[in-house]
Amino acid sequence: MMGRYADRDETGPSGMSELAGRVPDVAALVTGLGQAGYLADEPLATALFLAVRMGQPILLEGEPGVGKTEAARALAHVLDTPLIRLQCYEGLTSEQALYEWNYPRQLLAIRLAEARGETPREADLFSSEYLLQRPLLAALDHPGPRPAVLLIDEVDRGDDEFEAFLFELLADAAVTIPELGTRVAAFPPVVVLTSNRTRDLHDALKRRCLYHWIDYPDPGRVAAIIRRRVPGAATALTDQVAAGVTALRDLDLAKPPGVAEAISWARALHLLGADRLDAAAAAATAGAVLKYAEDLRAVRDTGFEVLGAQAHG
């Protein structure tokens, strides 16, 4: 599928020349993401680069906690543009995601008009003056000079109807407001969708997107990420936490820990003054990395000593 910028010159008003200057190539994007505190491997950086330069939405899938949302945050930092986030949930409607009318203000306008003996026109009440932007419309109306990064987070939590609503926005960077007509973005947003695969997404949605699966990083990369996010932590501790998280994922847990939990665990250990991961330190900080009661019981039954031994091994 052609990108939304395919018919526009990169020196035109779409902001693509601005984006090209910020991310001239994949290597520059890797460097920029690293400066934003996000260590991306080359495949992910390549996928994000293509999404930015092709003007095509990208769908990032992976287990919770592998850094999908943080990738969008870091990308916005690299592009020096706002991140506009829409958190999806069951029951989310297009109006809640796009716009709402300011009914209290409309009612006040009606009462003021009646006090003057006037009858307000419907066209006056349903104008941009009374429109409350929600994330999708805010991203489309962003004034530039660079497009905003629109993060549609956990799209798999939304309903089928909301997913279908996104088709027009993703394909054309446009939405239709019945009272005002079609709004087309002057600076089409860089769209990042994330999914934890709690349900399958429609093929029609996937066809509109580039795709990248973010897997759990290896222990060496996890340790490097932790050192970026918890700079005061001892090197031995970060290595052991990375190994410990990997060991936890080998257990039959309801919620295996991801990178976010590894960072939280290392931060908790560091705040308690630990410079190494042993059974006592792991037991004291288990709530930073394990978020289900059954997982805590499973690790306690296995023994934190085993976890510490695996980390040191």
Side-chain angles (χ1 to χ4, degrees), residues 23 29 33 36 38 48-49 51-52 58 69-81 83 149 190-192:
V23 285
L29 182 54
L33 292 172
Y38 189 90
L48 292 173
F49 173 80
V52 170
I58 182 167
T69 299
E70 288 303 314
R73 293 187 190 278
L75 181 61
H77 180 87
V78 172
L79 299 180
D80 190 23
T81 195
L83 174 76
V149 172
V190 176
V191 182
V192 179

Side-chain angles (χ1 to χ4, degrees), residues 71-183:
R73 293 187 190 278
L75 181 61
H77 180 87
V78 172
L79 299 180
D80 190 23
T81 195
L83 174 76
I84 299 176
R85 179 181 181 183
L86 172 65
Q87 176 63 53
C88 299
Y89 55 87
E90 186 177 355
L92 176 66
T93 66
S94 57
E95 290 80 10
Q96 292 168 329
L98 181 60
Y99 71 93
E100 292 181 275
W101 293 107
N102 191 335
Y103 293 117
R105 190 175 177 190
Q106 288 173 319
L107 182 59
L108 178 60
I110 292 172
R111 289 176 175 172
L112 289 174
E114 290 174 344
R116 295 192 300 267
E118 302 171 355
T119 301
R121 298 183 307 164
E122 184 175 336
D124 293 333
L125 293 174
F126 290 93
S127 63
S128 295
E129 181 181 358
Y130 298 97
L131 194 67
L132 296 175
Q133 289 185 334
R134 298 309 182 211
L136 297 184
L137 186 59
L140 293 180
D141 284 352
H142 178 62
R146 288 175 293 280
V149 172
L150 171 60
L151 170 60
I152 304 177
D153 216 3
E154 296 184 318
V155 66
D156 53 318
R157 294 185 180 273
D159 300 328
D160 290 346
E161 293 78 8
F162 179 74
E163 197 176 323
F165 160 75
L166 289 175
F167 293 167
E168 179 187 15
L169 183 142
L170 297 181
D172 304 320
V175 292
T176 300
I177 301 174
E179 298 86 353
L180 299 176
T182 299
R183 302 276 279 259

Side-chain angles (χ1 to χ4, degrees), residues 31 71 110 154 156 174 222 235 251 287 301 308:
T31 299
I110 292 172
E154 296 184 318
D156 53 318
V222 173
T235 299
L251 302 177
D301 291 344

Side-chain angles (χ1 to χ4, degrees), residues 32-77:
L33 292 172
Q35 292 171 345
Y38 189 90
L39 292 182
D41 58 21
E42 187 169 342
L44 173 57
T46 300
L48 292 173
F49 173 80
L50 293 175
V52 170
R53 297 294 298 274
M54 292 171 63
Q56 195 164 338
I58 182 167
L59 172 62
L60 300 179
E61 282 197 326
E63 298 295 332
V66 295
K68 302 182 294 295
T69 299
E70 288 303 314
R73 293 187 190 278
L75 181 61
H77 180 87

